[in-house]
Amino acid sequence: MKNKFKTVLEPFKIKMVEPIKMTTYEERQKYIQEANYNIFCIKAENILIDLLTDSGTGAMSASQWAAMMEGDESYAGCRSYYKMYDAIHELTGFKHIFPTHQGRAAERILFGIVGEEGKIIPNNTHFDTTRANIEYNKTEAVDLVIQEGKSPSINHPFKGNIDLKKLRELFEKHKGTDRIPVCMLTITNNSGGGQPVSMENIRETKKICDEYGIPLFLDACRFAENAYFIKIREPGYENKVIKEIVQEIFSYADGATMSSKKDALVNMGGFLAFNDDDLAQKVQNMEILTEGYPTYGGLSGRDLAALAQGLHEVIEEDYLEYRIKSTQYFGDALIKEGIPVVFPIGGHAVYIDAKKMLPHIKPCEFPGHALACELYLEGGIRACEIGSLMFAKKDPATGEEIPAQMELLRLAIPRRVYTQSHIDYVVEVIHEVNRNKEKIKGYEIVEEPPFLRHFSAKLKPKK
Ligand code: F0G
């Protein structure tokens, strides 16, 4: 650790700025009303601090922009592809590397090939698009995160770990049936609060997979953040450099899906990488059909060049120290004021437990959403509800809504975009909202689409 002071020093300086449009409370009242109280429908220019996602919202470095100028736009075999190949191969060791336009495209191709009716794919926790792509292929997506990973308040250094006993039981139950084509592990576990998976858990998962002849694939979006948590929390890794830790992580995997919009530090892109030659033939066919020629896969040459450079930068320890420390700083500032958050603080986001913070709002009146609206009105901050607006299910018999397991508000932090004073501002706004929280009202849905309603539903505050 090179910075012994408590200030989280951003290890970069700013060369280009993008103005933030300042707005008043009254203006924001108008904008949110026009958006039918749906946070996704507010124009980004009317947001002061946008914490909706850490996906594709990061800032590229001068070296990445410079690399883009060198992008080779040849249709086949472009130089930028080989740069990207080398960068990914160096970290993962995988032989076959297919770029895709984003993470879910890699998932669609993989599960379109290995998934079919009657098959089962386990994971610590499937991210929404992973689950959706699995289920779209009539395959069952099973979540097997450890018990500690399901409770917001329990402290555990690796809450993203998969339950090895349950995994073995699942494999044993379906032994010799070919029903489990692949086992997934999401690092870090986004749906469980951005929690890391330990090296020991990855290693043991691979051992069990090997015993049953099942390949292990990583959902590797936030692999570098996960590696840093291993370095600072897992005995035996404190003196290793991040690159070595990353290489060890991937050495236990047979393949990976990746959204480069996270830990490859680019605004768009993804890839699917693995060793299996037969699978490569099938993936190549699907890639050509739906993404593009395999050396560009839906991306421009310049995107591949920026991605290659991003992978070099994301494993820099100064960057990761700042990244994890700044998320922790944000979380600690909320904890200090007694705001209930998912504990411990994860890598890419802070999650507020809205059910606990706003106990007077019933889950069917969306406490997480109510808090999101209030943060926007009070301070122009945008965050994402992960609760009953997003995940409630309808009881097929009664049509009644079954609320989600948790009512969370995720404040995801774009990479290298906001400074400590932006975060201090967000903290101040949340404290103010917390002081007046009894006045916050629940919401009701006025109009909703048949699925993925959180993106476009129209809502209004309860009287
Ligand atoms: N896997 C995980 C763990 C993710 O967090 C995401 C995206 C994906 C796969 C899909 O990648 O968006 O490039 O297609 N997560 C974003 C988020 C959308 O806000 O957490 P993609």
Side-chain angles (χ1 to χ4, degrees), residues 53 102-104 107 127 129 190 219 221-222 259 262 410:
T53 177
Q102 62 183 91
R104 68 198 69 182
E107 294 166 359
F127 179 67
T129 60
N190 184 11
D219 177 343
C221 303
R222 299 176 179 88
S259 167
K262 284 89 170 171
R410 183 182 79 168

Side-chain angles (χ1 to χ4, degrees), residues 60 64 260 262-267 310 313-314 319 415-416:
M60 291 209 297
Q64 284 180 291
S260 305
K262 284 89 170 171
D263 273 355
L265 301 177
V266 290
N267 302 115
E313 293 175 14
V314 80
Y319 161 75
R415 292 168 181 77
R416 306 190 291 203

Side-chain angles (χ1 to χ4, degrees), residues 19 30 62 93 105 114 118 131 139 180 234 238-239 256 268 372 388 390:
K30 181 171 141 288
V114 303
R131 173 173 283 280
T139 304
I180 305 173
E234 192 160 347
E238 53 275 47
N239 296 321
M268 194 54 69
S388 290
M390 191 181 263

Side-chain angles (χ1 to χ4, degrees), residues 206-322:
K206 172 63 175 161
K207 261 195 212 159
I208 301 177
C209 283
D210 278 351
E211 268 181 56
Y212 291 85
I214 294 165
L216 174 63
F217 270 59
L218 299 174
D219 177 343
C221 303
R222 299 176 179 88
F223 73 92
E225 290 171 9
N226 201 100
Y228 189 74
F229 278 120
I230 288 175
K231 184 178 168 90
I232 59 173
R233 292 187 186 166
E234 192 160 347
Y237 288 91
E238 53 275 47
N239 296 321
K240 297 215 166 169
V241 294
I242 295 295
K243 193 177 182 176
E244 274 180 278
I245 299 176
V246 169
Q247 286 168 334
E248 186 180 340
I249 290 176
F250 283 105
S251 75
Y252 301 125
D254 298 286
T257 56
M258 172 79 185
S259 167
S260 305
K261 302 170 76 170
K262 284 89 170 171
D263 273 355
L265 301 177
V266 290
N267 302 115
M268 194 54 69
F271 58 82
L272 174 57
F274 51 86
N275 289 323
D276 186 323
D277 294 337
D278 290 341
L279 181 63
Q281 199 53 54
K282 292 177 189 152
V283 169
Q284 180 159 313
N285 295 341
M286 278 311 290
E287 169 99 334
I288 292 173
L289 196 65
T290 60
E291 288 289 287
Y293 191 75
T295 57
Y296 73 84
L299 297 170
S300 303
R302 56 181 169 270
D303 295 334
L304 303 174
L307 197 161
Q309 176 61 24
L311 286 175
H312 295 307
E313 293 175 14
V314 80
I315 56 168
E316 279 170 16
E317 203 160 319
D318 291 347
Y319 161 75
L320 283 170
E321 184 185 329
Y322 138 78

Side-chain angles (χ1 to χ4, degrees), residues 29-44:
Q29 261 180 329
K30 181 171 141 288
Y31 297 141
I32 198 168
Q33 228 167 14
E34 283 168 0
N36 294 297
Y37 294 94
N38 186 320
I39 228 83
F40 283 93
C41 301
I42 300 172
K43 280 188 187 160

